Amino acid sequence: MPAETASETVSETAPEIVSVTGWGRTAPTAARLIRPRTYEEAVAAVRDCGARGGIPRGLGRAYGDAAQNAGGAVFDMTGLDRIHAIDAAGGTVLCDAGVSLHRLMEVLLPLGWFVPVTPGTRYVTVGGAIGADIHGKNHHVSGSFSRHVLSLELLTADGSVRAVGRGTPLFDATAGGMGLTGVILTATIRLQPVETTFMVVDTERASDLDDLLARLTATDHRYRYSVAWIDLLARGAATGRAVLTRGDHAPLAALPARARRAPLSFHPAQLPPAPAFVPERLLNRRTVGLFNDLWYRRAPHARTGELQRLSAFFHPLDGIPHWNRVYGRGGFVQYQFVVGHGEEDTLRRIVRRIRRRGCPSFLAVLKRFGEADPGWLSFPRPGWTLALDIPTAMPGLVTLLDKLDEDVAGAGGRVYLAKDSRLRPDLLASMYPRLDDFRALRAELDPRGVFTSDLARRLSL
């Protein structure tokens, strides 16, 4: 275990009972929040978490109930946030699991290194990135986050700390294991070299879903990063129309002279936060339809070589603190699934079903996944992944999502557990073929069920 310094041995504050939700702000449950500040305090928290067990939590960006534990303990790991060592020549970093990707970017970008995989927000911890095995716009090239983790230290249910290397069953159960194998304390990560904090971006419109799939299939291999915003309310011949955005890290030679003075500067813009109160049903079929139409029409038909700031390309919503409030007090469901190549008809059927129901989703993105990573509960597999947000106030939402789950499972696909808040447990085994292996390892490693969560109980993980 890494050595501690005296300045960081802050005593743990007394646990408090708090109401905990995911980023979607649905189904809050009460738990004892414990904030360890040292490795010893983390060990004590696990050993003394009580009959209802505990679950590690980072910055709370899992959309559903993965980091909730009704009546039990939640370990807020953000206090363990040190960067221990950076190999600026070899491109690796050893850090605590409570370090955020935002902090890593602040420290690493001036040295010419970037995180290997980032989702749509940089406000996730390293531990959360491994536990959810996050993916980004570069999965078709780089895979998911855990592919770049060389080793980690895991605090297990018996209070011991294990060094876990790649290729071991415990590593594969932990990568995507939603915190249920233990508390990740540290990780060593392989980094991506960059010359600047700019991106060279190509943008184009796709007239409908078939046009979009054809463009992605034919040309995705030319880009490191690729994503399509899709209009799920467009009808008729425009069904599935999209704006396709792809790019790569800008080399120094691509920058204008002024930007070359500080090519690795990283100072993301920040807008005022979303208001604390937003009227219910502000996001409805009409308002979102108008937004989607405007967004599509203002996009260029085809534009190449645009320079964008790294933060604008990867994390546009991070500039609006608490943007999840715009869905109102009822919150929203983020639904993401993947189906394999050859299941394009399933994808078309799902898009048509969503369009017929008039889902008011303005954050809908489609990507292509590359080869799967070895995590037993890792979400990505080769194929097509669609993610969309839906306000919980939408009538008939439960019935719609149950139908979508059945379509996905019938096509051999799966839903993303880090975003799930309502999947039926009977569909889980068909979506995740290594589920029995995961359950068996957990039973051996944690026979008393020390690590548990609302998600784990709901899905019998």
Short mmCIF file of all heavy atoms in Angstrom, two decimals, residues 92-123:
data_model
loop_
_atom_site.label_atom_id
_atom_site.label_comp_id
_atom_site.label_asym_id
_atom_site.label_seq_id
_atom_site.Cartn_x
_atom_site.Cartn_y
_atom_site.Cartn_z
N THR A 92 2.84 6.88 -17.64
CA THR A 92 1.96 6.21 -16.68
C THR A 92 1.78 7.10 -15.46
O THR A 92 2.61 7.97 -15.18
CB THR A 92 2.51 4.84 -16.23
OG1 THR A 92 3.76 5.03 -15.57
CG2 THR A 92 2.67 3.90 -17.40
N VAL A 93 0.70 6.86 -14.73
CA VAL A 93 0.45 7.58 -13.48
C VAL A 93 -0.05 6.59 -12.45
O VAL A 93 -0.84 5.68 -12.76
CB VAL A 93 -0.57 8.72 -13.69
CG1 VAL A 93 -1.93 8.19 -14.16
CG2 VAL A 93 -0.74 9.54 -12.41
N LEU A 94 0.43 6.74 -11.22
CA LEU A 94 -0.06 5.99 -10.06
C LEU A 94 -0.81 6.97 -9.17
O LEU A 94 -0.24 7.98 -8.73
CB LEU A 94 1.09 5.36 -9.28
CG LEU A 94 0.77 4.80 -7.89
CD1 LEU A 94 -0.24 3.67 -7.97
CD2 LEU A 94 2.05 4.34 -7.19
N CYS A 95 -2.08 6.70 -8.92
CA CYS A 95 -2.89 7.64 -8.15
C CYS A 95 -3.90 6.91 -7.30
O CYS A 95 -4.20 5.74 -7.51
CB CYS A 95 -3.60 8.62 -9.08
SG CYS A 95 -4.79 7.86 -10.20
N ASP A 96 -4.43 7.64 -6.31
CA ASP A 96 -5.56 7.13 -5.53
C ASP A 96 -6.79 7.02 -6.40
O ASP A 96 -6.97 7.78 -7.37
CB ASP A 96 -5.86 8.06 -4.36
CG ASP A 96 -4.88 7.93 -3.22
OD1 ASP A 96 -4.14 6.94 -3.17
OD2 ASP A 96 -4.87 8.84 -2.35
N ALA A 97 -7.68 6.13 -6.00
CA ALA A 97 -8.91 5.93 -6.77
C ALA A 97 -9.88 7.09 -6.64
O ALA A 97 -10.80 7.22 -7.45
CB ALA A 97 -9.59 4.63 -6.34
N GLY A 98 -9.70 7.94 -5.62
CA GLY A 98 -10.59 9.10 -5.46
C GLY A 98 -10.21 10.29 -6.30
O GLY A 98 -10.92 11.31 -6.29
N VAL A 99 -9.12 10.20 -7.05
CA VAL A 99 -8.73 11.30 -7.95
C VAL A 99 -9.71 11.35 -9.12
O VAL A 99 -10.07 10.34 -9.71
CB VAL A 99 -7.30 11.08 -8.46
CG1 VAL A 99 -6.92 12.12 -9.51
CG2 VAL A 99 -6.31 11.11 -7.31
N SER A 100 -10.12 12.56 -9.47
CA SER A 100 -11.04 12.72 -10.61
C SER A 100 -10.27 12.80 -11.92
O SER A 100 -9.09 13.15 -11.95
CB SER A 100 -11.89 13.98 -10.45
OG SER A 100 -11.08 15.14 -10.60
N LEU A 101 -10.95 12.47 -13.02
CA LEU A 101 -10.33 12.65 -14.32
C LEU A 101 -10.03 14.12 -14.58
O LEU A 101 -9.04 14.45 -15.26
CB LEU A 101 -11.23 12.09 -15.42
CG LEU A 101 -11.56 10.59 -15.35
CD1 LEU A 101 -12.22 10.15 -16.65
CD2 LEU A 101 -10.34 9.75 -15.04
N HIS A 102 -10.86 15.01 -14.05
CA HIS A 102 -10.59 16.44 -14.17
C HIS A 102 -9.24 16.79 -13.55
O HIS A 102 -8.44 17.51 -14.16
CB HIS A 102 -11.70 17.23 -13.48
CG HIS A 102 -11.45 18.71 -13.43
ND1 HIS A 102 -11.67 19.54 -14.50
CD2 HIS A 102 -10.99 19.49 -12.41
CE1 HIS A 102 -11.35 20.79 -14.16
NE2 HIS A 102 -10.94 20.78 -12.90
N ARG A 103 -8.98 16.28 -12.36
CA ARG A 103 -7.71 16.57 -11.70
C ARG A 103 -6.54 15.98 -12.48
O ARG A 103 -5.48 16.62 -12.62
CB ARG A 103 -7.73 16.03 -10.27
CG ARG A 103 -6.44 16.27 -9.49
CD ARG A 103 -6.13 17.75 -9.38
NE ARG A 103 -4.89 17.99 -8.65
CZ ARG A 103 -4.13 19.06 -8.82
NH1 ARG A 103 -4.48 20.00 -9.69
NH2 ARG A 103 -3.03 19.21 -8.12
N LEU A 104 -6.72 14.76 -12.98
CA LEU A 104 -5.66 14.17 -13.79
C LEU A 104 -5.35 15.04 -15.01
O LEU A 104 -4.18 15.23 -15.36
CB LEU A 104 -6.05 12.76 -14.23
CG LEU A 104 -5.97 11.66 -13.18
CD1 LEU A 104 -6.34 10.32 -13.80
CD2 LEU A 104 -4.59 11.58 -12.54
N MET A 105 -6.38 15.56 -15.65
CA MET A 105 -6.15 16.43 -16.80
C MET A 105 -5.40 17.69 -16.41
O MET A 105 -4.50 18.14 -17.13
CB MET A 105 -7.49 16.76 -17.47
CG MET A 105 -8.17 15.58 -18.11
SD MET A 105 -9.80 16.01 -18.79
CE MET A 105 -10.51 14.38 -18.96
N GLU A 106 -5.77 18.28 -15.29
CA GLU A 106 -5.08 19.49 -14.84
C GLU A 106 -3.58 19.24 -14.65
O GLU A 106 -2.74 20.09 -14.97
CB GLU A 106 -5.69 19.98 -13.53
CG GLU A 106 -7.05 20.62 -13.66
CD GLU A 106 -7.54 21.15 -12.33
OE1 GLU A 106 -7.30 20.49 -11.29
OE2 GLU A 106 -8.17 22.22 -12.32
N VAL A 107 -3.25 18.08 -14.12
CA VAL A 107 -1.86 17.78 -13.80
C VAL A 107 -1.11 17.23 -15.02
O VAL A 107 0.06 17.58 -15.25
CB VAL A 107 -1.81 16.78 -12.63
CG1 VAL A 107 -0.38 16.29 -12.40
CG2 VAL A 107 -2.36 17.40 -11.37
N LEU A 108 -1.76 16.39 -15.81
CA LEU A 108 -1.06 15.64 -16.86
C LEU A 108 -0.96 16.39 -18.18
O LEU A 108 0.03 16.23 -18.91
CB LEU A 108 -1.75 14.30 -17.09
CG LEU A 108 -1.71 13.33 -15.91
CD1 LEU A 108 -2.60 12.13 -16.18
CD2 LEU A 108 -0.29 12.87 -15.62
N LEU A 109 -1.97 17.18 -18.52
CA LEU A 109 -1.93 17.85 -19.82
C LEU A 109 -0.73 18.78 -19.98
O LEU A 109 -0.09 18.79 -21.05
CB LEU A 109 -3.25 18.60 -20.06
CG LEU A 109 -4.40 17.72 -20.53
CD1 LEU A 109 -5.73 18.47 -20.47
CD2 LEU A 109 -4.15 17.20 -21.95
N PRO A 110 -0.34 19.56 -18.97
CA PRO A 110 0.87 20.38 -19.14
C PRO A 110 2.13 19.55 -19.40
O PRO A 110 3.13 20.08 -19.91
CB PRO A 110 0.97 21.14 -17.82
CG PRO A 110 -0.44 21.20 -17.31
CD PRO A 110 -1.04 19.89 -17.71
N LEU A 111 2.09 18.25 -19.07
CA LEU A 111 3.23 17.37 -19.30
C LEU A 111 3.12 16.64 -20.64
O LEU A 111 4.01 15.84 -20.99
CB LEU A 111 3.32 16.34 -18.17
CG LEU A 111 3.45 16.91 -16.75
CD1 LEU A 111 3.44 15.77 -15.73
CD2 LEU A 111 4.70 17.75 -16.61
N GLY A 112 2.03 16.90 -21.38
CA GLY A 112 1.86 16.26 -22.68
C GLY A 112 1.18 14.91 -22.64
O GLY A 112 1.35 14.10 -23.57
N TRP A 113 0.35 14.67 -21.60
CA TRP A 113 -0.35 13.38 -21.49
C TRP A 113 -1.84 13.63 -21.22
O TRP A 113 -2.21 14.59 -20.54
CB TRP A 113 0.24 12.53 -20.37
CG TRP A 113 1.66 12.14 -20.62
CD1 TRP A 113 2.78 12.71 -20.10
CD2 TRP A 113 2.11 11.10 -21.49
NE1 TRP A 113 3.90 12.09 -20.57
CE2 TRP A 113 3.53 11.09 -21.43
CE3 TRP A 113 1.46 10.17 -22.31
CZ2 TRP A 113 4.31 10.19 -22.15
CZ3 TRP A 113 2.24 9.27 -23.03
CH2 TRP A 113 3.64 9.29 -22.95
N PHE A 114 -2.65 12.72 -21.72
CA PHE A 114 -4.11 12.80 -21.57
C PHE A 114 -4.60 11.45 -21.06
O PHE A 114 -3.95 10.41 -21.26
CB PHE A 114 -4.75 13.14 -22.92
CG PHE A 114 -6.23 13.39 -22.88
CD1 PHE A 114 -6.76 14.36 -22.04
CD2 PHE A 114 -7.09 12.66 -23.69
CE1 PHE A 114 -8.13 14.60 -22.01
CE2 PHE A 114 -8.46 12.91 -23.68
CZ PHE A 114 -8.98 13.87 -22.83
N VAL A 115 -5.75 11.46 -20.40
CA VAL A 115 -6.33 10.18 -19.95
C VAL A 115 -6.68 9.34 -21.17
O VAL A 115 -7.10 9.87 -22.21
CB VAL A 115 -7.57 10.41 -19.05
CG1 VAL A 115 -7.18 11.13 -17.77
CG2 VAL A 115 -8.65 11.20 -19.78
N PRO A 116 -6.54 8.02 -21.08
CA PRO A 116 -6.72 7.19 -22.28
C PRO A 116 -8.16 7.08 -22.73
O PRO A 116 -8.43 6.87 -23.92
CB PRO A 116 -6.17 5.83 -21.86
CG PRO A 116 -6.34 5.81 -20.37
CD PRO A 116 -6.12 7.22 -19.91
N VAL A 117 -9.09 7.21 -21.79
CA VAL A 117 -10.53 7.10 -22.10
C VAL A 117 -11.26 8.07 -21.18
O VAL A 117 -10.98 8.12 -19.98
CB VAL A 117 -11.05 5.66 -21.85
CG1 VAL A 117 -12.57 5.61 -21.97
CG2 VAL A 117 -10.40 4.67 -22.82
N THR A 118 -12.18 8.83 -21.74
CA THR A 118 -13.02 9.71 -20.92
C THR A 118 -14.46 9.61 -21.40
O THR A 118 -14.72 9.58 -22.61
CB THR A 118 -12.53 11.17 -20.98
OG1 THR A 118 -13.42 11.98 -20.20
CG2 THR A 118 -12.47 11.71 -22.39
N PRO A 119 -15.41 9.54 -20.47
CA PRO A 119 -16.81 9.58 -20.87
C PRO A 119 -17.23 11.02 -21.13
O PRO A 119 -16.39 11.90 -21.31
CB PRO A 119 -17.51 8.99 -19.64
CG PRO A 119 -16.67 9.44 -18.49
CD PRO A 119 -15.25 9.44 -19.02
N GLY A 120 -18.53 11.27 -21.13
CA GLY A 120 -19.03 12.61 -21.43
C GLY A 120 -18.85 13.61 -20.31
O GLY A 120 -19.21 14.77 -20.46
N THR A 121 -18.28 13.19 -19.19
CA THR A 121 -17.94 14.10 -18.10
C THR A 121 -16.56 13.75 -17.57
O THR A 121 -16.19 12.57 -17.50
CB THR A 121 -18.96 14.04 -16.96
OG1 THR A 121 -18.51 14.87 -15.88
CG2 THR A 121 -19.15 12.62 -16.45
N ARG A 122 -15.79 14.78 -17.20
CA ARG A 122 -14.49 14.52 -16.57
C ARG A 122 -14.62 14.46 -15.06
O ARG A 122 -13.63 14.22 -14.36
CB ARG A 122 -13.48 15.58 -16.99
CG ARG A 122 -13.85 17.00 -16.65
CD ARG A 122 -12.86 18.01 -17.24
NE ARG A 122 -13.27 19.38 -16.93
CZ ARG A 122 -14.09 20.11 -17.67
NH1 ARG A 122 -14.57 19.58 -18.80
NH2 ARG A 122 -14.42 21.33 -17.32
N TYR A 123 -15.82 14.66 -14.53
CA TYR A 123 -16.04 14.62 -13.08
C TYR A 123 -16.45 13.23 -12.64
O TYR A 123 -17.53 13.00 -12.07
CB TYR A 123 -17.06 15.68 -12.68
CG TYR A 123 -16.55 17.08 -12.90
CD1 TYR A 123 -17.07 17.90 -13.90
CD2 TYR A 123 -15.48 17.57 -12.15
CE1 TYR A 123 -16.58 19.17 -14.13
CE2 TYR A 123 -14.97 18.84 -12.38
CZ TYR A 123 -15.53 19.64 -13.37
OH TYR A 123 -15.02 20.89 -13.60
#
